[in-house]
Amino acid sequence: MKNKKILIIGSNDGFSLEKMYFRGFKSLGCNITFLHAYSIQKNFINKFIWKYLRFVIFKLIKNKITRHIVSNKKFYDLIIIFKGIYLNDNFILNIKKLSPGTKLINIFPDDPFDTNYFKDISNNNVIRSIKHFDHVFIFSKKILKKLKNKFPKNDFSFLPFANDNFLHKKFKITNKPIYDLSFIGTADKDRYNLLKQLSEFKIILAGNGWERFNIPQNIKYIKSVNFFQFAKTISKSKISLNILRNQNKKSHNMKTFEIPAMGGLMLTEKTSEQQDFFPENKACLMYENINDLKKKLKLVKKNHNKFNKIKKLGFKLSKRHSYKIRAIFVLKKSLINV
């Protein structure tokens, strides 16, 4: 694998999915280059430009990628684009022309069929460009089926999220948990309405965007956290809640793997995909509705030590799901004779 030359294109922010894969490929000894296309975190001015003039940003990104490939004159075995909402047909075809013999890969961590231009998930140009990739990896079996139906001649693979050995570490617990429940995630109305119904539990909450909601008194909000603080927050609670967003319903999300890897007792929405990774009542807890959720929370609140065995198995199983292991899968699916 050491002789495999790979170019990753995406955001170089330390917490980004592409950066996690970069560390995974690097740990395998691949000859890997990272091209920073754009930042996920933006200041007010950049947010304004991104919202109203993103077509200009898209053009600049494509020019930057083209210049890199032309100026380096370096043959890559793989060029891996993460999502790439700036894509279009002509750009992909031009990249293939500039780098003949290179396999062009897309790792798509969202729903490509959600084509609302201003949601930063996908758009019609992305859909049209999919057929030009040599292989597309998608996190959801449900979306995978849709892609195969729409593009029967293309190669697609199910690629779950994972955990990063560099970021997702267990925090050393020195005191007993002081919260019944922790939830870490970006705010939205559905998540707020669910948490609002858990008034009998002491909750610690972290994530972006919660300032616009009226936070109930039983919830302590600590704003956004880094991964060290993420693990520390989990260690302060008896249970860690995972609420799936609409695009992840019946599937899984990044926290499916991150919470167990950080030593948390995960309580997540019930899905068959998550059952495959972390069997219910053996490596995690699952709920089907609000009444089921409250019932599980009461059980853990009453005696959380009874659930240590589940938490330990979840942590053990998380070791099977690192981005290094996912990187091996990507190589095997994308290259011959790896």
Side-chain angles (χ1 to χ4, degrees):
M1 292 184 185
K2 290 184 179 180
N3 63 336
K4 298 302 176 185
K5 299 182 181 67
I6 301 171
L7 173 65
I8 286 182
I9 300 172
S11 171
N12 201 27
D13 293 344
F15 59 86
S16 70
L17 180 64
E18 42 267 58
K19 193 68 176 180
M20 295 182 201
Y21 267 99
F22 173 80
R23 286 188 283 266
F25 281 115
K26 195 170 184 181
S27 68
L28 295 172
C30 296
N31 183 352
I32 188 158
T33 303
F34 198 110
L35 180 61
H36 178 65
Y38 60 91
S39 294
I40 297 172
Q41 290 185 325
K42 302 175 180 66
N43 59 31
F44 177 79
I45 294 173
N46 288 334
K47 283 180 180 178
F48 179 87
I49 295 171
W50 184 265
K51 185 173 182 178
Y52 296 105
L53 297 170
R54 69 180 63 193
F55 63 93
V56 176
I57 304 297
F58 288 178
K59 186 174 182 179
L60 292 173
I61 293 171
K62 287 182 283 190
N63 287 343
K64 183 177 183 179
I65 295 168
T66 302
R67 284 197 309 271
H68 174 85
I69 293 172
V70 171
S71 62
N72 280 274
K73 296 179 180 178
K74 183 179 181 181
F75 174 81
Y76 293 105
D77 295 291
L78 294 181
I79 294 178
I80 305 176
I81 296 176
F82 281 77
K83 192 158 69 172
I85 58 172
Y86 49 83
L87 298 174
N88 59 39
D89 288 56
N90 290 335
F91 174 70
I92 295 295
L93 292 172
N94 187 45
I95 293 301
K96 287 196 158 192
K97 197 178 293 182
L98 291 172
S99 189
T102 298
K103 296 281 186 73
L104 201 56
I105 308 301
N106 191 304
I107 295 179
F108 209 96
D110 286 313
D111 183 353
F113 295 103
D114 189 351
T115 55
N116 184 317
Y117 184 76
F118 289 101
K119 286 173 71 174
D120 284 350
I121 293 175
S122 184
N123 55 58
N124 290 326
N125 281 334
V126 170
I127 291 290
R128 285 191 286 268
S129 70
I130 284 175
K131 61 182 178 288
H132 300 302
F133 281 93
D134 294 291
H135 209 113
V136 175
F137 294 88
I138 192 75
F139 74 97
S140 163
K141 289 181 180 178
K142 181 181 176 182
I143 300 172
L144 176 66
K145 188 176 179 180
K146 288 174 68 178
L147 284 167
K148 285 183 174 180
N149 287 337
K150 186 171 179 64
F151 305 98
K153 295 181 180 179
N154 285 77
D155 290 327
F156 300 98
S157 291
F158 173 57
L159 182 68
F161 294 115
N163 66 79
D164 184 340
N165 297 331
F166 178 76
L167 293 177
H168 306 124
K169 298 177 182 178
K170 189 191 292 188
F171 184 83
K172 188 176 180 181
I173 301 171
T174 55
N175 299 307
K176 292 180 180 180
I178 56 176
Y179 296 95
D180 301 316
L181 167 70
S182 61
F183 178 71
I184 300 168
T186 304
D188 65 33
K189 193 173 181 181
D190 291 337
R191 288 175 165 180
Y192 173 71
N193 288 336
L194 187 145
L195 290 174
K196 202 165 60 169
Q197 296 179 69
L198 305 178
S199 57
E200 59 194 290
F201 304 100
K202 191 176 181 182
I203 300 172
I204 183 167
L205 172 68
N208 293 317
W210 291 99
E211 296 88 351
R212 67 179 189 270
F213 293 99
N214 184 20
I215 306 295
Q217 289 186 344
N218 66 305
I219 300 177
K220 181 179 179 180
Y221 175 46
I222 58 172
K223 300 187 177 180
S224 61
V225 292
N226 59 33
F227 283 99
F228 174 79
Q229 294 163 334
F230 188 160
K232 188 176 180 180
T233 301
I234 285 175
S235 73
K236 289 181 178 180
S237 61
K238 297 173 183 176
I239 201 161
S240 298
L241 181 62
N242 186 23
I243 307 171
L244 302 179
R245 307 186 94 163
N246 286 334
Q247 70 183 36
N248 305 94
K249 296 292 183 184
K250 299 184 179 180
S251 182
H252 70 282
N253 61 7
M254 296 176 80
K255 289 186 179 64
T256 298
F257 300 99
E258 294 170 355
I259 291 171
M262 291 183 171
L265 174 62
M266 180 170 64
L267 175 55
T268 185
E269 292 183 61
K270 184 177 285 189
T271 71
S272 60
E273 279 185 23
Q274 291 183 115
Q275 286 271 22
D276 292 338
F277 307 128
F278 301 100
E280 184 183 11
N281 298 325
K282 293 181 179 180
C284 77
L285 299 175
M286 294 186 178
Y287 69 93
E288 296 187 74
N289 51 50
I290 187 64
N291 292 328
D292 191 30
L293 172 59
K294 288 181 178 180
K295 181 182 175 182
K296 300 286 172 58
L297 287 172
K298 286 176 182 177
L299 286 172
V300 178
K301 180 180 179 180
K302 189 175 181 181
N303 188 352
H304 70 278
N305 290 323
K306 280 187 176 182
F307 297 86
N308 282 342
K309 191 175 180 181
I310 294 175
K311 185 162 58 172
K312 287 178 181 177
L313 182 57
F315 178 74
K316 183 179 178 181
L317 292 181
S318 72
K319 301 303 177 185
R320 301 177 182 177
H321 302 286
S322 69
Y323 283 108
K324 179 178 180 178
I325 292 170
R326 297 289 187 260
I328 293 171
F329 177 78
V330 171
L331 287 174
K332 286 181 176 178
K333 283 289 183 178
S334 305
L335 295 170
I336 301 171
N337 298 325
V338 175

